[in-house]
Amino acid sequence: MEGRILPGVVSPMRTVPSHIARPPYADSGDVPRWNEPRVKSPEIIERMRHACTMAADILRLAGEFVKPGITTDDIDVFVHDLTVERGAYPSPLNYHRYPKSVCTSLNEVICHGIPDSTVLHDGDIINLDVTCYVGGVHGDTNATFFVGDVDAESRRLVKVTEECMWRGIEAVRPDRPLSDIGRAIEDHATKNRLGVVRAFIGHGIGEQFHTDIQVLHYYDPRNDMIMKPGMVVTIEPMITIGTWQHKMWDDDWTAVTADGKRTAQFEHTVLVTDTGVDVLTAGEGSVSPRRPS
Ligand code: MF3
Ligand code: CO
Ligand code: CO
């Protein structure tokens, strides 16, 4: 069960109608960075709640669209059209020149898989990562879906990965260091004899897709920024059956496990509150609305 995903043919970039507000990188592909406040105003938080709810809704619908025989490009068309229909810009499109509107990461692809002519087969697992830009802010969420009947080992991987995300979310508490999140995730993965990818991390989010806040998914005492009410970050662990080391394809986006074994990921955007955490991409329409029991 390892290492058979190959690059397919990538179709031309899709366009977004001119009435949709565009992020600053949409035309050039260059991403300007500025110091946006780490603690968000109540007004920005309400806008983020809207972007996050939309991303969660589109992710669920995209997951329902997954079936054997479709291509990852079909998923891109589905997500792109739905996002635009709802009045948002699909954040991945032209972000650092990323050519598509969603990330589709199959089997041993860790993250940032580019939708192309690759066909989904019975037994595959696929992560879809949806981000919406609307009201001047981003909302970011992902989940791993089954394509038809999936083997028991892969099902266990996906279940434990979702649990790891929730362990990380439950570690969010004001006045505690971000490293609490990574510790909770790593502990749960290790207990289940699974690996934690280190090269890709969670991030602050807001008016920018990625801000300067870094959220590690493994324990490192240097990840010592203190969580404050009003901070918004993503928690998005990538968990592996074998090694946590990755290789990069020549497209400079697609990250695959170095041993070709399968990997899974889940992501929520979360707000630090006075008492704990508010999961902005969870709720009724969400793929992972609450901690699995
Ligand atoms: N949504 C991804 C994340 O969780 C980022 C994708 S960047 C892209 O951070 F350019 F590939 F879209
Ligand atoms: Co993210
Ligand atoms: Co994401």
Side-chain angles (χ1 to χ4, degrees), residues 11 24 41 49 62 88 105 122 131 133 159 171 189 212 224 267 284 289:
S11 65
S41 67
R49 209 180 279 287
S105 302
D122 187 61
T131 312
Y133 179 78
K159 174 175 175 284
D212 65 334
D224 60 1
E267 174 178 30
E284 275 327 295

Side-chain angles (χ1 to χ4, degrees), residues 129-131 140-142 203 209 236 267:
D129 193 341
V130 172
T131 312
D140 188 7
T141 183
N142 77 46
H203 50 93
F209 197 163
E236 48 180 304
E267 174 178 30

Side-chain angles (χ1 to χ4, degrees), residues 91-93 95-96 98 100 102-103 112 129-131 140-142 201 203 209-210 234 236 253 265 267:
S91 306
L93 189 65
Y95 186 73
H96 292 292
Y98 184 84
K100 291 288 161 186
V102 60
C103 298
H112 305 163
D129 193 341
V130 172
T131 312
D140 188 7
T141 183
N142 77 46
I201 63 181
H203 50 93
F209 197 163
H210 298 93
T234 71
E236 48 180 304
W253 282 107
Q265 182 180 22
E267 174 178 30

Side-chain angles (χ1 to χ4, degrees), residues 163-226:
E163 291 167 358
C164 281
M165 175 188 67
W166 281 103
R167 296 291 175 115
I169 291 170
E170 286 165 0
V172 173
R173 260 173 155 274
D175 303 316
R176 292 292 309 169
L178 285 168
S179 59
D180 280 7
I181 299 170
R183 182 177 11 228
I185 292 167
E186 185 175 21
D187 280 353
H188 192 62
T190 306
K191 225 179 280 163
N192 285 282
R193 303 177 312 283
L194 296 170
V196 178
V197 171
R198 293 175 168 243
F200 304 93
I201 63 181
H203 50 93
I205 182 168
E207 296 173 79
Q208 299 172 93
F209 197 163
H210 298 93
T211 74
D212 65 334
I213 306 177
Q214 302 195 336
V215 182
L216 305 189
H217 302 118
Y218 56 94
Y219 179 63
D220 186 330
R222 293 168 299 185
N223 195 204
D224 60 1
M225 187 184 287
I226 302 298

